[in-house]
Amino acid sequence: MGFGAIRSILRPLSRTLVSRVAASCSSAPLIPAAKPELCSFLGGSRLPWIPMANHFHSLSLTDTRLPKRRPMAHPKKKRFKLKPPGPYAYVQYTPGEPIASNNPNKGSVKRRNAKKRIGQRRAFILSEKKKRQGLVQEAKRKKRIKEVERKMAKVARERAWEERLAELQRLEEEKKKSITRIMTTSLVREKKIKTNGIWLNVAEKGDEGRPLVLLLHGFPETWFSWRHQIDYLSSHGYHVVAPDLRGYGDSEFLPSHESYTVSHLVADVIGLLDHYGTAQAFVAGHDWGSVIGWSLCLFRPDRVKGFISLSVPYSPRDPNLKPSEFSKTFGDGLYITQFQKPGRAEAAFAKHDCKTVMKKFLLTTRTDFMVAPPGTEIIDDLVIPSEIPEWITEEEIQVYADKFQKSGFTGPLNYYRAMDLNWEILAPWEGSKILVPTKFIAGGRDIGAKETMEYVKGEMFKSIVPNVEVVVIEDGHHFIQQEKAKHVSEEILSFFNKLRTTEFEIEAFGVWARKMDPDAVKSTLSNLAFGNVLAAAARDYKKEVLANEKAQSSNPVNEEVDLDELMDDPELEKLHADRIAALKREVEKREAFKRQGHGEYREVSEGDFLGEVTRSQKVICHFYHKEFYRCKIMDKHLKSLAPRHVDTKFIRVDAENAPFFVTKLAIKTLPCVLLFSKGVAIDRLVGFQDLGTKDDFTTTKLENVLIKKGMLSKKKKEEDDEDAEYQESVRRSVRSSENLDSDSD
């Protein structure tokens, strides 16, 4: 028998014995003794061959059922619970039925929990995946629905646009037909005319051989505003012409507001008169057209037979207050103030369509000065009435809207932005009167009607416009030629017929001219302005008569003096020789001056200007414009003075062709006469301010002014008397020519 067999027999026995001994012992000695029974059974009191151990240690080194601990003096207390903490996996168990093979109670709790968490995670991921798949499918379904709806909306929109386009085309055709019907029923002819360097669109009706009537519109209008008067006047024997003013309608647009001054506008009108070959015409204007008409009567009264102003009376220039400064007294809400800043009104108008803008202006019934509340644009403050009045139709408003849609509003607004420039231009005419026969027509409910009526019915207006008739249409508003078309047309016709059939007199630049042929009037004015051969002959004859009278009034004793004795007097011979020498020197001096260009009134170019001014000691230079009548008046007087004052050079320069010197010399108003001494400008005459501000001043007055400024030498008294008598004789001859038989025309 081997050692292994013995060990297998003794091991169970030793375990039993040791456990019993441990249970019976109250305490464990360090080397416990064996019980007597065991000792006696084994044959001794000691068991030296049995290893000693307490109950904490195993008897076998290979036993691992109990933890191996270090020996302790007392046993460690057991834990309160040996059962591990949860969670536990429970299953429903039915007695008599076997537990399924996947029993969750198998294995450790930690493993079961991990498996449970893994399962829950997988289930969560799966549910989220299914949820996402459901959301994606729903999104795809909605996307497909939206695509279908979008395609259906596109089709519906295209159909609606097609229907709308067809409707718009139909309306456009109807509008064109109505506009064509409006235009063709009156048989108005439209054409483009180049005048004053720009192209103007002109509407006309009537035979060109008939008396010309020029109709000037206002803001915001075109020639179409005169449609009723064009038909009416042309049917009564007049050739009617109504232009679109520069910047309006189909006429040429200029961006700068400096191109919209009254001088430019009057030049446009004169160009139209020249185009039609007429020296005089009947003129009617409304709003800004009235301003142009008043300026035409002021600048060129010889071109106007009669003038009718609608809504805007003539206002004299205030030398101390510019128009922009006057407008500021009403605050920022005044429409004129809002129109001053470039772009401001255009931006306000752009918020509305053109037809709405036209309705707001044309249909307004306001009687104030059109002042908007603070922070409000005037176009937003204007109200469109609920019903269109009878005097205008939607189609006619559309005609205006189409024109302004094409041209814009910048050109018309530039008229307001040039008001201060007009104030500077009108300075030479300050205090001048309007002497042309005029008629003023206004509505009793016009813009600023109360103040306007007080002004035109007062003495001041009649004093500056003496030949004026005032007509007030009580229930009329601003656009009176359209609102009260028949009444206004009859007033215009009656006034023009009266001037056409009745003799009248016009005081123009100090000359009264009876009704005669326009060419004859022009020739007469030219002769009076610049002199002629007959006037020179009359002057020589006058001098001869004065010399004879002086000889006859001399002392008769002198007639008995012996001429031979006087001739032999040496002192008299010396005086005679000195006089001849002085005359020779004077002649040589005059010849030297003439070689330098003195003694005549010449025109020089911009390139020759500097040399002409610096080569002579005293130079008088007139900067002029060929279209300005006051420049021609100044030319007349300077031309008369040039041969009488040979020691001073008289020249003139066309301001339009000399922009460099106009800018360099700060010339802003014409006519402008610059006075040079030794090549330096020492003084100037601006307009007629130093000459009484009137057009009928004499050459002597201008001569005296130049003498005071040191530019002319003072003449002898005899020569002054002769010139004064000559001027008086010319005036008498002119007045006597007026008294000719009136049937000669």
Side-chain angles (χ1 to χ4, degrees), residues 441-699:
I441 305 174
R445 300 178 183 177
D446 201 344
I447 298 171
K450 180 180 178 181
E451 292 77 5
T452 302
M453 294 303 107
E454 293 177 357
Y455 171 65
V456 298
K457 293 179 180 179
E459 294 298 328
M460 179 180 177
F461 181 65
K462 294 180 180 179
S463 65
I464 58 179
V465 190
N467 303 319
V468 64
E469 299 178 21
V470 178
V471 177
V472 178
I473 303 176
E474 295 297 336
D475 57 343
H477 295 88
H478 184 64
F479 299 93
I480 193 168
Q481 82 274 29
Q482 302 179 70
E483 182 184 7
K484 303 295 180 182
K486 184 178 180 181
H487 192 167
V488 172
S489 299
E490 292 174 350
E491 291 288 346
I492 294 175
L493 181 65
S494 64
F495 182 71
F496 287 166
N497 282 342
K498 182 176 66 174
L499 297 178
R500 186 178 177 184
T501 58
T502 306
E503 292 185 357
F504 62 93
E505 293 182 350
I506 302 175
E507 186 179 11
F509 310 107
V511 178
W512 285 89
R514 286 194 177 273
K515 181 177 178 293
M516 60 180 68
D517 183 74
D519 295 332
V521 174
K522 183 177 181 181
S523 176
T524 303
L525 291 173
S526 176
N527 291 338
L528 291 173
F530 302 109
N532 52 29
V533 177
L534 293 177
R539 181 179 184 184
D540 295 338
Y541 176 73
K542 184 65 177 178
K543 288 183 178 181
E544 184 179 352
V545 172
L546 291 175
N548 292 335
E549 291 178 354
K550 186 179 297 184
Q552 292 176 3
S553 61
S554 62
N555 191 354
V557 178
N558 295 334
E559 297 178 0
E560 300 177 358
V561 175
D562 190 356
L563 295 180
D564 294 335
E565 294 180 359
L566 291 176
M567 293 299 293
D568 294 336
D569 189 352
E571 294 183 0
L572 185 60
E573 290 181 358
K574 184 180 180 181
L575 290 174
H576 182 66
D578 293 342
R579 179 59 177 166
I580 292 175
L583 289 175
K584 287 183 179 179
R585 288 193 299 270
E586 186 69 23
V587 170
E588 292 175 357
K589 185 177 180 181
R590 292 174 67 90
E591 291 298 328
F593 279 133
K594 287 184 178 181
R595 285 194 296 270
Q596 295 179 4
H598 291 235
E600 59 179 342
Y601 185 50
R602 299 179 297 109
E603 180 167 354
V604 299
S605 63
E606 185 179 27
D608 299 333
F609 170 75
L610 202 56
E612 293 286 348
V613 170
T614 56
R615 280 198 297 266
S616 298
Q617 185 174 4
K618 292 188 291 185
V619 179
I620 296 176
C621 180
H622 173 211
F623 281 83
Y624 76 100
H625 192 283
K626 58 185 178 181
E627 296 292 341
F628 290 1
Y629 193 79
R630 282 201 165 188
C631 293
K632 294 182 180 180
I633 296 175
M634 185 63 73
D635 283 339
K636 176 196 71 170
H637 295 296
L638 294 177
K639 186 176 181 181
S640 177
L641 291 174
R644 297 161 56 186
H645 296 274
V646 187
D647 55 338
T648 301
K649 181 185 289 186
F650 289 80
I651 60 174
R652 69 173 189 164
V653 177
D654 189 349
E656 196 173 18
N657 297 327
F660 174 77
F661 288 107
V662 169
T663 305
K664 194 71 175 178
L665 298 171
I667 298 173
K668 297 182 179 179
T669 304
L670 299 180
C672 182
V673 179
L674 294 179
L675 311 179
F676 292 89
S677 178
K678 298 180 180 179
V680 179
I682 60 173
D683 204 347
R684 66 178 63 193
L685 300 180
V686 179
F688 294 170
Q689 292 179 355
D690 297 334
L691 304 169
T693 70
K694 293 185 178 181
D695 301 344
D696 56 352
F697 65 89
T698 62
T699 304

Side-chain angles (χ1 to χ4, degrees), residues 9-28:
I9 294 172
L10 293 178
R11 181 180 290 174
L13 181 61
S14 63
R15 290 176 177 172
T16 302
L17 291 176
V18 171
S19 61
R20 288 181 179 179
V21 172
S24 62
C25 292
S26 58
S27 61

Side-chain angles (χ1 to χ4, degrees), residues 54 59 68 73 98 145 171 192 197 221 234 252 256 258 263 270 285 305 320 327 413 418 431-432 458 546 655 660 719:
N54 57 20
L59 297 175
K68 298 176 181 179
I145 293 173
L171 293 176
K192 295 288 184 67
E221 299 171 297
S234 62
E252 188 174 343
S256 174
E258 296 179 355
S263 59
I270 294 175
K305 289 183 179 180
N320 301 318
S327 301
L413 292 171
S432 299
L546 291 175
F660 174 77
E719 295 178 354

Side-chain angles (χ1 to χ4, degrees), residues 378-441:
I378 189 64
I379 190 64
D380 299 326
D381 192 47
L382 296 176
V383 179
I384 300 176
S386 57
E387 296 182 0
I388 302 297
E390 297 179 355
W391 57 269
I392 196 169
T393 63
E394 290 282 354
E395 291 79 10
E396 291 173 336
I397 297 176
Q398 189 63 46
V399 173
Y400 289 109
D402 292 341
K403 293 296 183 182
F404 281 95
Q405 183 69 41
K406 178 182 177 181
S407 64
F409 289 93
T410 300
L413 292 171
N414 280 340
Y415 285 67
Y416 294 92
R417 294 162 187 164
M419 293 177 69
D420 284 350
L421 295 177
N422 294 338
W423 180 83
E424 296 179 1
I425 292 172
L426 292 172
W429 285 270
E430 185 178 322
S432 299
K433 297 181 180 181
I434 302 295
L435 302 175
V436 175
T438 57
K439 175 182 276 191
F440 177 70
I441 305 174

